[in-house]
Amino acid sequence: MSQGLTYNVDIVMCIDCTGSMGGLLDTVKANALKFYPDLKARCDAKGKEISDLRIRVIGFRDLGYDKDKAITDSGFLTIPEQEDKFKEIINSFVASGGGPEPESGLEVLAMAINSDWTHDGDKRRHVIVVWTDASTHELGEIGKDNPQYPSEAPANFDELTDWWEDEQGGKMSRSSKRLVIFAPDASKWTEIGLNWNNTIHHPAKAGTGLEDVDYETILSTIVNSI
């Protein structure tokens, strides 16, 4: 049982909305929409009550190609109080744009890591989930002239890695953070999956969707770690 402990969970969902996502985006959206009731049921079954759940949704395309349609960012929404707003944003996502590979996945991952994470509660879990079927631009390579380009984005991949790994001046604490990536076995996604701590990478073939998306992985990553 929870023994009176408070569990505060923040989740950032980074969702590729480019044209190549096609029908896969519908699957991702469906999973996102049922996420809260499924998570609550799992926690209830284990006697763990989440005291505060916030979800931030970042829909992304290509910062160089899609201009003002490259990023949709909800900011953190408190669930279930703002569940209607959450559903509205998820339902607004349509697979379009993006141009040819690669896309702006690393910039969006940087936005997620740089979130305003909660420090409240007896136990905390900070989770980033990335869904994409594309490889990534190098950081700063494309789209820096786009007003939507993250103003505090790291200069390169090594700096992004420091954001994740650095326990002293880093953006996230080792005990709280988890990263789950559904992405091709390509470019930096593979390197992240192999080398970053507290990270799960489910590879998929670029350009053909993510047939093996494992929704259960996201739920178990959160429930089993609080």
Side-chain angles (χ1 to χ4, degrees):
M1 299 297 290
S2 63
Q3 299 178 332
L5 295 177
T6 57
Y7 297 88
N8 288 33
V9 178
D10 281 350
I11 301 164
V12 182
M13 298 180 173
C14 304
I15 302 175
D16 184 341
C17 296
T18 56
S20 64
M21 287 289 283
L24 172 64
L25 183 59
D26 291 334
T27 300
V28 172
K29 288 165 62 175
N31 286 342
L33 290 171
K34 67 177 183 176
F35 177 80
Y36 169 67
D38 286 353
L39 178 63
K40 185 178 186 303
R42 296 292 183 88
C43 288
D44 288 348
K46 287 181 172 286
K48 296 178 178 180
E49 181 181 354
I50 296 179
S51 305
D52 188 69
L53 171 65
R54 303 190 305 165
I55 301 178
R56 178 186 183 188
V57 183
I58 307 175
F60 70 95
R61 296 186 174 90
D62 189 308
L63 283 158
Y65 184 89
D66 292 288
K67 305 305 178 187
D68 62 344
K69 295 181 174 61
I71 303 291
T72 300
D73 185 1
S74 71
F76 274 120
L77 300 172
T78 302
I79 307 298
E81 290 83 353
Q82 294 179 286
E83 192 170 9
D84 287 346
K85 180 65 173 176
F86 171 71
K87 290 179 178 179
E88 177 184 335
I89 291 170
I90 292 293
N91 284 324
S92 74
F93 291 158
V94 176
S96 64
E101 279 199 80
E103 312 294 358
S104 300
L106 292 183
E107 285 84 359
V108 172
L109 179 55
M111 290 176 63
I113 295 173
N114 201 36
S115 293
D116 181 21
W117 302 102
T118 183
H119 297 287
D120 297 330
D122 298 309
K123 299 190 73 174
R124 291 164 295 281
R125 184 61 61 229
H126 302 155
V127 182
I128 299 171
V129 185
V130 179
W131 285 278
T132 181
D133 69 342
S135 56
T136 67
H137 292 298
E138 294 290 338
L139 278 162
E141 178 184 63
I142 299 291
K144 290 197 75 171
D145 59 341
N146 188 332
Q148 289 192 318
Y149 195 90
S151 60
E152 297 183 0
N156 52 52
F157 183 74
D158 287 343
E159 187 178 339
L160 180 65
T161 299
D162 288 343
W163 278 20
W164 183 260
E165 300 289 349
D166 185 0
E167 285 300 296
Q168 301 303 316
K171 305 289 183 179
M172 303 175 71
S173 69
R174 182 183 297 269
S175 61
S176 299
K177 67 188 174 188
R178 297 292 187 274
L179 173 59
V180 183
I181 302 172
F182 300 100
D185 192 3
S187 69
K188 298 303 184 186
W189 299 129
T190 301
E191 190 170 345
I192 290 171
L194 289 174
N195 298 310
W196 287 19
N197 63 63
N198 296 350
T199 297
I200 301 170
H201 175 212
H202 287 260
K205 187 175 180 181
T208 63
L210 305 174
E211 293 87 349
D212 296 323
V213 167
D214 185 3
Y215 174 66
E216 292 294 318
T217 299
I218 305 168
L219 290 174
S220 61
T221 294
I222 299 168
V223 176
N224 294 337
S225 61
I226 64 174

